[in-house]
Amino acid sequence: MSNTQIIQNFINRENDLYCDDCLSEKLDIKPRQQVNQICNKLKKQGLLKREVKQCSSCSKDKFINKMEGI
Ligand SMILES: [Zn+2]
């Protein structure tokens, strides 16, 4: 499974909102920049939304990732 699929699957099944850093940590996809690139790519494809909200994991206000249409 590619890292893109791993991220998509995770965001699909999680109701919580995660920032790039926490996704990197939880999914063990390093460096964090890779998560950032993948999420921006998915956003361009209209597959997920990125907006500044409180991350469910680190509780900081950051760009979080969620599925489009939620
Ligand atoms: Zn976080």
Side-chain angles (χ1 to χ4, degrees):
M1 200 159 49
S2 70
N3 284 339
T4 302
Q5 285 173 304
I6 291 170
I7 289 174
Q8 262 188 294
N9 287 349
F10 181 81
I11 294 172
N12 258 323
R13 67 165 191 266
E14 284 288 330
N15 291 318
D16 292 333
L17 307 170
Y18 293 100
C19 67
D20 297 344
D21 293 292
C22 293
L23 284 178
S24 166
E25 197 67 34
K26 279 185 180 294
L27 302 175
D28 201 27
I29 298 172
K30 308 275 169 64
R32 188 199 78 88
Q33 281 74 8
Q34 204 196 332
V35 172
N36 185 269
Q37 278 165 11
I38 291 171
C39 289
N40 276 315
K41 189 183 74 183
L42 289 171
K43 181 180 178 254
K44 264 190 202 147
Q45 294 171 345
L47 295 171
L48 61 76
K49 279 184 187 168
R50 289 169 64 76
E51 52 189 65
V52 177
K53 277 197 173 167
Q54 192 179 45
C55 172
S56 301
S57 185
C58 64
S59 299
K60 292 175 193 155
D61 284 328
K62 296 170 102 172
F63 269 105
I64 53 78
N65 302 285
K66 63 179 186 176
M67 292 320 284
E68 186 61 85
I70 297 175

